Amino acid sequence: MFNIKTSIISINYRKTLQKFLPGIIEKCRESQDGSAASRFLQKLDDEDINKMYKIIYSLPDDLYNNLICIITRLFYNEISENLNSALHNQGYGSSLSIGGIVAGNAPDGRLTLYFNNIEADFNNLLYLSSEKMSNGILAWILKLISPALSGKDPYKQEKKVLSLLQNSFVKKQLENMAEKSLLKNGIVIKLDGIEFSQSGSKPIKLEKLSKIEKSFLDILVSIIKTAE
């Protein structure tokens, strides 16, 4: 397994949330897992949910980083399921899975995303991708890593592939590809680098919501309930 870390220079927060948040929230409202997110949303009826969207979409930009950090922790399971469902729909479900995604604020104030415990069958990915494309930068990258996939166990394969992907030119191309792919979905984003690292066999341990964050949720419920 391996991790990916990237920092965001800029992003159109409102359009991003408008595209992804409703699906995540509906899935969470239907959940019976007893999580903080489920308990929070189950306090709200449909009218309250619509009020919540209006409040969130009208927030000033400087609050969105903190909001996204909280959202990725509250809806960790739902976001992971949506990401893996998207991979499955593109035909990569049996070859690539993401353990989870969390967000944090970097010291410079930028939002940092961590894609954790990614499992990849590189041989199968190479095969699937060769069927889907014969040219372009991704095809070139796949050809670059293909020699690393022969005669090695999965851990050594992964280590070698990640070493090749650390090339600055390759990382820049992957960064550009990610930005263009998101742009097709209406998300205008500018990334600041992509970093790869191997992870252990155990899933990451998420910190529990702090008292401040729990208080924030209680206050948010009160605001939504009393909003016009």
Side-chain angles (χ1 to χ4, degrees):
M1 290 188 288
F2 62 98
N3 307 317
I4 297 175
K5 172 186 173 184
T6 185
S7 294
I8 296 175
I9 296 175
S10 62
I11 183 173
N12 55 343
Y13 288 106
R14 289 176 184 82
K15 285 187 177 180
T16 301
L17 289 172
Q18 286 169 350
K19 184 172 183 64
F20 294 108
L21 192 57
I24 292 169
I25 283 180
E26 283 309 307
K27 184 174 288 187
C28 194
R29 288 181 78 188
E30 296 170 359
S31 174
Q32 302 297 322
D33 62 3
S35 66
S38 297
R39 295 196 305 272
F40 162 63
L41 291 172
Q42 285 161 6
K43 296 176 183 178
L44 308 175
D45 57 26
D46 289 344
E47 184 179 350
D48 293 330
I49 292 292
N50 289 329
K51 289 180 183 178
M52 181 183 71
Y53 289 145
K54 288 180 181 179
I55 292 170
I56 289 175
Y57 299 152
S58 63
L59 289 173
D61 286 347
D62 58 355
L63 292 182
Y64 275 116
N65 276 11
N66 287 333
L67 177 63
I68 289 176
C69 290
I70 293 174
I71 285 173
T72 59
R73 292 172 66 186
L74 277 175
F75 306 118
Y76 182 81
N77 292 331
E78 289 74 20
I79 292 172
S80 301
E81 288 176 14
N82 281 8
L83 284 171
N84 287 312
S85 177
L87 289 172
H88 179 79
N89 291 338
Q90 294 178 25
Y92 294 104
S94 62
S95 306
L96 187 65
S97 67
I98 298 172
I101 175 174
V102 289
N105 282 314
D108 60 5
R110 289 180 180 173
L111 186 68
T112 302
L113 297 180
Y114 303 87
F115 297 84
N116 296 300
N117 296 339
I118 301 170
E119 294 187 73
D121 181 337
F122 290 106
N123 282 301
N124 203 32
L125 279 174
L126 189 63
Y127 171 75
L128 289 172
S129 298
S130 66
E131 287 193 327
K132 292 174 181 290
M133 65 199 73
S134 58
N135 51 46
I137 188 62
L138 185 55
W140 177 83
I141 292 173
L142 290 168
K143 289 178 182 178
L144 174 70
I145 69 173
S146 61
L149 303 181
S150 60
K152 295 183 174 67
D153 64 46
Y155 179 83
K156 290 181 178 179
Q157 282 184 358
E158 182 180 88
K159 186 175 182 179
K160 182 62 176 177
V161 168
L162 294 183
S163 175
L164 293 169
L165 293 180
Q166 293 290 4
N167 176 280
S168 58
F169 175 78
V170 172
K171 288 197 293 185
K172 187 61 180 177
Q173 299 309 309
L174 290 172
E175 183 181 311
N176 291 339
M177 280 177 53
E179 292 174 354
K180 289 177 181 178
S181 177
L182 291 168
L183 182 60
K184 290 179 180 178
N185 288 285
I187 300 172
V188 181
I189 190 171
K190 182 64 179 173
L191 301 176
D192 183 25
I194 296 176
E195 299 294 333
F196 300 90
S197 63
Q198 276 190 298
S199 57
S201 58
K202 295 182 180 180
I204 60 167
K205 183 178 181 181
L206 291 176
E207 294 180 5
K208 294 181 179 179
L209 287 174
S210 68
K211 290 181 179 179
I212 293 176
E213 288 169 321
K214 288 180 180 177
S215 298
F216 169 83
L217 293 178
D218 290 337
I219 292 169
L220 187 57
V221 169
S222 299
I223 293 173
I224 292 168
K225 288 287 188 183
T226 57
E228 295 295 333

